[in-house]
Amino acid sequence: QLGKVRVSEFGTFDFEIPTKEGQPLGYYNITAENTKHNLRFYGNFRLAEFRVPEFEVEMDIDKKIVTPGETFKISWKGNYYFGAPMSKASSSLNITRRRTYFKPEGWAGFSFGVPSYLQEEKSSISGGYLRETIQLDETGNASKTVVLRRDDVPYNMTYLCDAEITDVSRQTSSANKSITALPDKRLIGVKLDDWIIAVKDILKASVIVSSPEGKALNGIPLTIKLIKREYHSVKTKTPEGKFLSLIHI
């Protein structure tokens, strides 16, 4: 028995659970009860032994930005802290991806990319891209060369690469890095003088075509479109008698 606790004005309580060296490892259950009001609460925790990692994992990607058709190389290695390489150790490479916003440097006030609600072709791809088991070589190194297809980059994306190495004692450690994938190296940015204007006022817009590094690109033909969006609010009544406003675009 751990003792008694007093409930706060918010109906909550907390307490500390002491542990000691040599205590059996595993899962423990906790029961808190109030016999007067016939209340009982349950909880559990796991007592485990922490082991300091005996090795480190390092990763490198040879590019920061990639477009469809280009390759990028992922390299990783494992070394024991006493200096020896993790020769022939088992490792796994996991690559996931997600949509991201990318803006080249030097163009403050400009918005780049097409909003999802304006895309003519809707694309939906899974978050998982690749998972592979690769054995380290004699020097404790491994690598993987990846080529992205156009279907792999329907919009600006971040590809997260994670390498995990397991030693002979089944201890694991990992490292990760990310790379930005763009559908095209020509990035179009738009800057408006104002987002709200009155009828018959003139809206001034600036347009720029930039490289991913922020360099202005000349001689690129563009088609400018002005798209009208209408918002309609519909009020509906719920079975509980409440009213909800739904906005349709």
Side-chain angles (χ1 to χ4, degrees), residues 1-6 13-20 23 30 45:
Q1 185 169 340
L2 299 175
K4 296 183 178 181
V5 295
R6 183 177 295 275
F13 62 90
D14 65 85
F15 57 93
E16 294 183 354
I17 302 176
T19 59
K20 58 184 178 180
Q23 183 172 333
I30 307 169
F45 68 93

Side-chain angles (χ1 to χ4, degrees), residues 99 114-123 154-155:
R99 185 168 186 164
V114 179
S116 58
Y117 57 82
L118 291 180
Q119 285 187 331
E120 297 179 358
E121 295 183 5
K122 301 296 183 180
S123 299
Y155 31 70

Side-chain angles (χ1 to χ4, degrees), residues 10-149:
F10 303 105
T12 61
F13 62 90
D14 65 85
F15 57 93
E16 294 183 354
I17 302 176
T19 59
K20 58 184 178 180
E21 188 174 352
Q23 183 172 333
L25 306 178
Y27 292 91
Y28 288 78
N29 296 318
I30 307 169
T31 302
E33 59 183 357
N34 183 307
T35 55
K36 181 178 179 180
H37 299 286
N38 195 26
L39 298 175
R40 183 169 293 180
F41 305 91
Y42 301 95
N44 62 76
F45 68 93
R46 180 184 180 185
L47 182 64
E49 184 178 20
F50 174 73
R51 294 176 56 197
V52 179
E54 299 176 353
F55 61 91
E56 64 177 345
V57 181
E58 297 180 5
M59 172 181 277
D60 182 62
I61 301 179
D62 64 348
K63 295 179 181 179
K64 294 183 178 180
I65 299 173
V66 68
T67 55
E70 295 182 336
T71 64
F72 65 94
K73 185 178 180 180
I74 311 165
S75 304
W76 62 99
K77 64 179 180 179
N79 287 313
Y80 289 103
Y81 283 120
F82 57 80
M86 299 184 68
S87 177
K88 299 297 182 178
S90 175
S91 75
S92 63
L93 175 65
N94 186 34
I95 303 179
T96 57
R97 55 192 176 182
R98 64 177 183 269
R99 185 168 186 164
T100 191
Y101 176 75
F102 181 82
K103 179 179 181 179
E105 296 183 0
W107 301 108
F110 283 82
S111 296
F112 287 81
V114 179
S116 58
Y117 57 82
L118 291 180
Q119 285 187 331
E120 297 179 358
E121 295 183 5
K122 301 296 183 180
S123 299
S124 179
I125 59 177
S126 65
Y129 175 71
L130 179 145
R131 185 170 185 84
E132 187 175 335
T133 299
I134 301 176
Q135 187 180 51
L136 304 186
D137 62 15
E138 294 285 353
T139 63
N141 289 270
S143 64
K144 177 71 176 181
T145 299
V146 178
V147 182
L148 295 181
R149 302 171 303 173

